[in-house]
Amino acid sequence: MLSSKQIPGITAHQECDTYAWFSQRAWVEIDLAALSHNVQQLAGSLSPRTQLMAVVKADAYGHGAVTVAQTALQSGASWLGVATVPEGIQLREGGIQAPVLILGATHTPEQIQAIAQWQLQPTLCSPKQALVFAKTLQTIGFNTPISVHIKLDTGMSRLGTNWEQAAEFVQLVQGLPNLTIASIYSHLATADSADTTIMKEQHRRFELAIAQIKALGMKLPCLHLANTAATLADAQLHYDIVRVGLAVYGLYPAAHLQNTINLQPVLQLKARVTQVKTIAPGTGVSYGHQFIAPRELRLAVVGIGYADGVPRSLSNKMQVLIRGQRLQQIGTITMDQLMADVSTIPDLQEGEVVTLLGQQGQEKISADDWANELNTISWEILCGFKHRLPRVAIM
Ligand SMILES: *Cc1c(COP(=O)(O)O)cnc(C)c1O
């Protein structure tokens, strides 16, 4: 039986106990021991100069932001990264006091006021945005300096000022009232590739930008460049902070980086068998009869579907785990339910637990398996689970 507690901020919850099968039809299970292990491994792999930022944007990649943030901070992370102002506020409302960097762009007076009020730390991407910040802080009469982070574009072509204008930009921000530069950073476009050519060029540009800034005679603030892949790939990219998302959740950004560190997947996706029946040879299953029983078979209905985040395009292509056996999913995945061929378990009972992602005995299905099948990346799989699924934390 699991000792479980629900992650705050999600739906009401009953103890998730294998026997009380009526309590949940489907849920996401978050293994906090695995999370803590991953963060300890990551923190332990860094030099004393480098701090670990746990990236908890998008509700901690679908794992539940507040609980993940608390566990990460207890396990060796000292910074948190989010994408938006509401994500930062959610952490503060959850009682978290660690520094929170907003990785996305913020512009509006409402956003700027909230940043000041909740002591969040914005990313400044352009001179125009920096001026808006200074002016808005003045207008609202906020006179305590806020910590800001200068974003340079060294080749991602996403947020940031072009690296060649780094010195000018830093000088401008330095001259503005109520803004303190806490860090200068950039983001890598190809860190998960085995070919390091582009990553090395971005590294070189970042170094040149820093040299320009140093030449102004200013004392350098924190510097950071690495996401998970760069953190695992090359310690020269670590600088003062590494911004790690995926590895915190126990997944590797690329196959060639799997031997760098020991990680354990944190998330498991589970549901229950809601009905079991026998169907005759030739019987069609689910919408469109995309599966026809080739023989008499035992079919289980499972209480999870595409409205929970199981991609419909996995229909007839995915497997599930029941009683440690790997079983084929059959027929079109529907909004709330899907079917599996359970002929090898003739005595399967309604209420038994089905693992869609995770491990049972020797069998394992990972977000990477789904991502490969769907021609996407594990990040997208993790972020895809809807809030209809309660997040159940296990210790
Ligand atoms: C999301 C994000 C990260 C974390 O990326 P992972 O590959 O999941 O480690 C780091 N930095 C920035 C700017 C990001 O947007």
Side-chain angles (χ1 to χ4, degrees), residues 32-294:
L32 295 181
L35 181 73
S36 180
H37 165 87
N38 298 335
V39 173
Q40 284 172 25
Q41 290 289 307
L42 286 159
S45 74
L46 303 173
S47 87
R49 169 193 172 183
T50 306
Q51 295 184 292
L52 176 62
M53 176 186 296
V55 177
V56 297
K57 63 193 179 190
D59 198 30
Y61 294 37
H63 292 59
V66 172
T67 299
V68 165
Q70 283 165 341
T71 304
L73 292 168
Q74 283 160 15
S75 309
S78 45
W79 282 83
L80 298 168
V82 298
T84 67
V85 174
E87 287 179 355
I89 294 173
Q90 189 195 2
L91 296 176
R92 291 283 181 256
E93 285 183 330
I96 287 165
Q97 287 167 1
V100 175
L101 168 59
I102 301 173
L103 298 162
T106 47
H107 298 278
T108 68
E110 293 77 12
Q111 288 171 328
I112 294 168
Q113 183 152 17
I115 284 167
Q117 181 186 337
W118 292 95
Q119 292 188 25
L120 305 171
Q121 304 190 15
T123 293
L124 294 188
C125 312
S126 71
K128 186 174 155 214
Q129 185 203 8
L131 293 168
V132 168
F133 256 84
K135 185 148 185 274
T136 306
L137 290 172
Q138 226 157 22
T139 308
I140 63 178
F142 199 88
N143 293 317
T144 328
I146 65 164
S147 294
V148 299
H149 299 255
I150 300 286
K151 183 78 185 278
L152 301 179
D153 183 358
T154 56
M156 174 73 177
S157 303
R158 202 171 65 176
L159 288 179
T161 287
N162 187 292
W163 61 280
E164 288 164 305
Q165 277 91 54
E168 274 166 76
F169 185 34
V170 165
Q171 234 170 353
L172 171 92
V173 176
Q174 257 193 327
L176 293 172
N178 296 325
L179 303 179
T180 303
I181 299 175
S183 85
I184 299 170
Y185 79 105
S186 188
H187 191 52
L188 297 166
T190 65
D192 54 352
S193 166
D195 180 344
T196 58
T197 315
I198 295 169
M199 182 169 78
K200 289 202 169 119
E201 175 59 14
Q202 283 197 261
H203 184 202
R204 190 186 72 86
R205 292 175 178 179
F206 192 58
E207 281 290 321
L208 286 172
I210 293 162
Q212 279 181 35
I213 293 161
K214 250 193 191 151
L216 297 173
M218 82 178 265
K219 185 179 170 298
L220 287 178
C222 277
L223 305 171
H224 48 113
L225 184 59
N227 57 2
T228 293
T231 301
L232 300 186
D234 188 350
Q236 281 183 36
L237 304 171
H238 288 184
Y239 293 96
D240 301 303
I241 303 173
V242 291
R243 306 184 305 269
V244 180
L246 193 72
V248 165
Y249 308 103
L251 291 160
Y252 295 90
H256 74 278
L257 296 171
Q258 281 191 356
N259 296 323
T260 51
I261 194 172
N262 177 271
L263 300 173
Q264 296 168 5
V266 172
L267 178 148
Q268 296 198 70
L269 178 64
K270 298 187 175 181
R272 291 183 195 277
V273 173
T274 53
Q275 193 175 1
V276 189
K277 60 178 68 170
T278 300
I279 58 172
T283 306
V285 175
S286 192
Y287 292 123
H289 281 188
Q290 296 297 312
F291 178 88
I292 308 287

